[in-house]
Amino acid sequence: MTGRAYSLHGRSVPKPAMRIASGRVTLVLGGIGLLFAALVIRALYLQVAQQDFLQNQGDARFRRVLTLEATRGVIADRNGEPLAISTPVQTIWASPAGMGPVSNEQVGALARLLELSPEEVRAKFADKKREFVYLKRQVSPELAEQVMALGIPGVAKQQEFRRYYPAGEMLSQVIGFTGVDGKGQEGLELAREKMLSGQSGSRVVLKDRRGYIVEDLAAIERPRDGQTLTLSIDRRLQYLAYREVKGAVEANKAKAGAAVVLDGRTGEILALANYPSFNPNNRMQLEPEMRRNRAVIDMFEPGSTMKPFPVAMALENGKARPTMLMDTNTYRIGPATVRDTHPKPLMTVTEVIQKSSNVGASRLALLFTPEQMWTFYDAAGFGRNPHAGFPGEVGGRLRDWKGWRPIEQATMSFGYGVSVSLLQLARAYTVFTADGNLLPVSFTRISAPPPGRPVIRPDTARQMREMMTTVTQVGGTGTRAQVLGFNVGGKSGTARKLVGGRYVADKHIGMFVGFAPATRPRLIVAVMVDEPKGGSYYGGTVAGPAFSAIMGGSLRVLGEEPDNPANNTLIPVDRLPEVREET
């Protein structure tokens, strides 16, 4: 039985066939509906559940956060002369993940501009998973424009800054330098990193696959530039100090040398020079020894430059007077002997300073208990970090008094058994220039003189200045430290070097520390020459002339009025009887 027929488009169709056709339509529509529902569900899933993931994937491909570099702060001397400045440069980078094919001609041209081999360039382009790779950092803006003119998709540039040091090698150990990322690596660049670096800004942008910016996606965060660091250093005095230290090292065939110039009224460091040195603008052949700021981080035994301190202690406590006669014959302390190279049976206390008598200094020191002497040395800053603000600065070594033997107390009076840095030694002499007060020292300019810490009375300081002036006069150990038109007070020193726990006979350090004008001290200059091999090693001979040139030139630069205009002719060196300090 066939069932009832129906007409469809003028044709007769059996009823079961119509049902089958209708079912197929329903099935197709249902399938389409299910597919549409699946698409809607998938869209909702992607838009809701996977939104963060997909957004991150899109951002990774086209969204970029560009760092807007802050300009590093200028380092300037006390007169505003630049010592470290930042100049804009460009860095060339690439995004291999977004790069298409690069022709051999483009690779070759890029390699030539960046001074790379084509193989190096292709190696940087090879990792397609990398979004960022440096091609070359800190190139000139002109070179960067030539690179961009090649039109290589995925190669871009960004601005950075390169540090430049106008003072070059004469101040390199003090200023230090920055790395390729602009961060301080050594010296004051490192110590004042937070102040100088400022804070970088940012810019969120959308880039196309060729690396071009399409639009900004957020407000630009402006960078905050670093602050200017004004030092106490006077570039003119620094030039003098460096020139003379370099000359002293070369003339005496020495291993190294250093000099410190302090303002004797404020403790400001006006110059600090080291040699050998290096050019911070070109560090391709930089040796570790060239980087040492010897004046601040090296320790040595100060020799006879310590003798003014036991003398001052004796004057301060009423145990001596400048004109008091002393027994300066050789004497024994247990199995040890204290002697002078050129002995005299009697000397005044002033002559103990002028002739640099080990016997006289040690006899004065032994008038006190070890605790009393340690307390005085400690008050003068020995064994204490000077806290000048330089990384790695040392405080020297002053052993606990409880372990002192009599011979050790005696040798400490003439600079053995105690160690100092050159900066620390120069600072100790502020006791004589600042009316008995030990001044703090600083690499930054200060607005008002600090009060300092009292060590001796002003009258004692004045007596010491008068006594120390005789050192540079005829008969003293520091005649080569004279300065035309000025009274100069100071003390020469020569010390054997301690190597491996033993003193080496042919290795010495020659020093001279002094101040001028002696009647109203303005400057303190300390000079050290390490291991002179030029025939003489005595401090008055190897360091005295450098001291004279630095002090004389500095006083003239600062416009200081002479305090001894009658001293208008210096006695020729070859006519001066050489009086050598004890070692």
Side-chain angles (χ1 to χ4, degrees):
M1 184 171 176
T2 60
R4 187 175 178 180
Y6 293 89
S7 176
L8 180 63
H9 300 298
R11 296 167 56 192
S12 179
V13 181
K15 185 176 180 180
M18 286 294 296
R19 288 176 177 172
I20 292 171
S22 178
R24 287 175 178 172
V25 171
T26 302
L27 183 62
V28 170
L29 291 176
I32 293 172
L34 288 174
L35 289 173
F36 182 76
L39 289 174
V40 171
I41 293 171
R42 178 64 175 172
L44 290 173
Y45 171 75
L46 294 177
Q47 291 293 325
V48 178
Q50 293 291 304
Q51 182 181 15
D52 291 341
F53 172 77
L54 294 173
Q55 185 68 44
N56 290 336
Q57 290 297 305
D59 288 347
R61 287 167 172 79
F62 302 108
R63 182 179 182 271
R64 295 287 183 268
V65 179
L66 304 181
T67 300
L68 302 179
E69 296 289 342
T71 303
R72 192 172 180 84
V74 172
I75 300 179
D77 83 340
R78 64 187 302 107
N79 300 310
E81 290 291 326
L83 302 175
I85 56 177
S86 293
T87 57
V89 292
Q90 297 289 331
T91 285
I92 307 299
W93 61 278
S95 178
M99 295 180 70
V102 183
S103 68
N104 290 334
E105 290 76 11
Q106 288 177 312
V107 169
L110 181 61
R112 284 191 297 273
L113 287 174
L114 299 184
E115 297 180 346
L116 301 171
S117 68
E119 291 73 21
E120 289 177 293
V121 174
R122 288 202 177 278
K124 291 177 181 290
F125 290 168
D127 189 354
K128 297 302 182 180
K129 295 182 180 180
R130 298 187 66 178
E131 297 287 342
F132 184 93
V133 60
Y134 283 117
L135 298 180
K136 192 156 190 179
R137 302 191 69 176
Q138 297 190 349
V139 303
S140 69
E142 294 78 16
L143 179 58
E145 290 302 323
Q146 294 179 51
V147 170
M148 298 310 298
L150 297 176
I152 303 175
V155 173
K157 65 177 182 176
Q158 72 180 51
Q159 181 171 279
E160 291 184 329
F161 292 92
R162 182 179 180 181
R163 207 64 163 162
Y164 175 65
Y165 302 96
E169 64 181 21
M170 73 180 187
L171 202 55
S172 55
Q173 292 97 344
V174 175
I175 301 297
F177 52 83
T178 61
V180 70
D181 59 354
K183 304 298 183 183
Q185 299 293 306
E186 292 199 12
L188 295 176
E189 289 275 31
L190 173 61
R192 300 303 179 95
E193 170 64 24
K194 186 175 181 180
M195 174 185 181
L196 292 167
S197 63
Q199 185 170 340
S200 298
S202 64
R203 181 185 179 190
V204 183
V205 300
L206 187 67
K207 286 190 173 186
D208 63 17
R209 60 180 304 190
R210 292 175 61 88
Y212 297 115
I213 295 175
V214 176
E215 64 174 318
D216 286 297
L217 299 179
I220 296 175
E221 183 180 343
R222 301 289 179 184
R224 179 169 54 82
D225 293 339
Q227 303 175 54
T228 296
L229 173 60
T230 301
L231 301 184
S232 56
I233 297 289
D234 187 316
R235 185 170 173 173
R236 301 167 299 175
L237 274 55
Q238 181 69 28
Y239 169 76
L240 286 170
Y242 179 73
R243 182 189 68 187
E244 297 304 324
V245 167
K246 180 180 179 181
V249 170
E250 293 176 347
N252 292 285
K253 299 180 176 61
K255 176 182 177 182
V260 175
V261 181
L262 293 184
D263 188 316
R265 304 169 303 183
T266 67
E268 291 173 295
I269 300 170
L270 302 180
L272 192 149
N274 296 272
Y275 188 79
S277 187
F278 66 95
N279 181 359
N281 300 302
N282 182 4
R283 303 191 295 274
M284 297 296 292
Q285 297 180 338
L286 178 57
E287 299 293 336
E289 284 298 301
M290 297 178 179
R291 295 157 54 180
R292 296 184 67 83
N293 190 344
R294 298 174 181 275
V296 178
I297 67 174
D298 281 7
M299 296 191 301
F300 57 90
E301 292 181 310
S304 295
T305 59
M306 283 292 288
K307 287 174 182 173
F309 295 96
V311 173
M313 181 172 58
L315 294 180
E316 179 72 7
N317 289 276
K319 295 182 180 290
R321 302 182 311 278
T323 57
M324 185 182 79
L325 285 172
M326 295 185 62
D327 176 6
T328 50
N329 286 300
T330 298
Y331 73 106
R332 295 183 65 82
I333 301 178
T337 301
V338 180
R339 61 167 60 88
D340 292 336
T341 305
H342 305 287
K344 289 180 61 177
L346 291 173
M347 289 188 192
T348 64
V349 173
T350 297
E351 286 179 313
V352 168
I353 293 289
Q354 182 187 32
K355 309 293 185 184
S356 195
S357 170
N358 289 347
V359 173
S362 60
R363 285 192 182 278
L364 289 172
L366 291 172
L367 295 174
F368 299 89
T369 66
E371 183 178 8
Q372 289 173 322
M373 186 172 171
W374 182 94
T375 300
F376 187 84
Y377 275 21
D378 176 69
F382 297 109
R384 291 179 175 267
N385 192 312
H387 296 294
F390 191 89
E393 61 184 316
V394 297
R397 182 170 178 264
L398 179 64
R399 293 186 298 108
D400 191 311
W401 61 270
K402 294 176 183 177
W404 291 9
R405 296 176 298 162
I407 185 58
E408 292 173 324
Q409 184 176 347
T411 59
M412 285 184 192
S413 71
F414 48 88
Y416 286 96
V418 58
S419 63
V420 300
S421 72
L422 191 64
L423 176 61
Q424 187 182 29
L425 183 60
R427 182 201 181 198
Y429 273 57
T430 63
V431 170
F432 308 126
T433 63
D435 288 332
N437 295 306
L438 179 70
L439 299 179
V441 289
S442 174
F443 278 102
T444 55
R445 189 172 184 177
I446 59 178
S447 56
R453 185 172 72 238
V455 178
I456 56 178
R457 298 187 305 272
D459 186 58
T460 303
R462 179 188 57 78
Q463 288 180 309
M464 288 302 303
R465 291 197 296 269
E466 292 174 354
M467 295 166 66
M468 293 169 73
T469 303
T470 64
V471 172
T472 60
Q473 297 171 354
V474 175
T477 60
T479 51
R480 300 189 185 196
Q482 295 178 41
V483 175
L484 194 68
F486 292 91
N487 288 307
V488 176
K491 187 70 191 73
S492 58
T494 307
R496 289 184 178 178
K497 292 187 70 172
L498 192 64
V499 179
R502 302 185 65 179
Y503 290 103
V504 181
D506 62 346
K507 290 188 177 183
H508 298 82
I509 293 180
M511 298 151 279
F512 194 93
V513 188
F515 47 83
T519 54
R520 53 174 197 282
R522 172 69 190 280
L523 298 179
I524 297 171
V525 174
V527 178
M528 178 270 290
V529 179
D530 186 11
E531 294 187 24
K533 301 289 186 182
S536 177
Y537 54 81
Y538 291 100
T541 305
V542 300
F547 168 93
S548 175
I550 296 170
M551 179 65 82
S554 298
L555 291 172
R556 287 190 291 272
V557 167
L558 297 175
E560 195 70 24
E561 289 291 327
D563 67 339
N564 185 12
N567 177 23
N568 55 17
T569 303
L570 297 183
I571 302 173
V573 170
D574 57 2
R575 290 174 51 194
L576 287 169
E578 186 172 24
V579 180
R580 301 172 177 176
E581 65 272 6
E582 307 296 333
T583 57

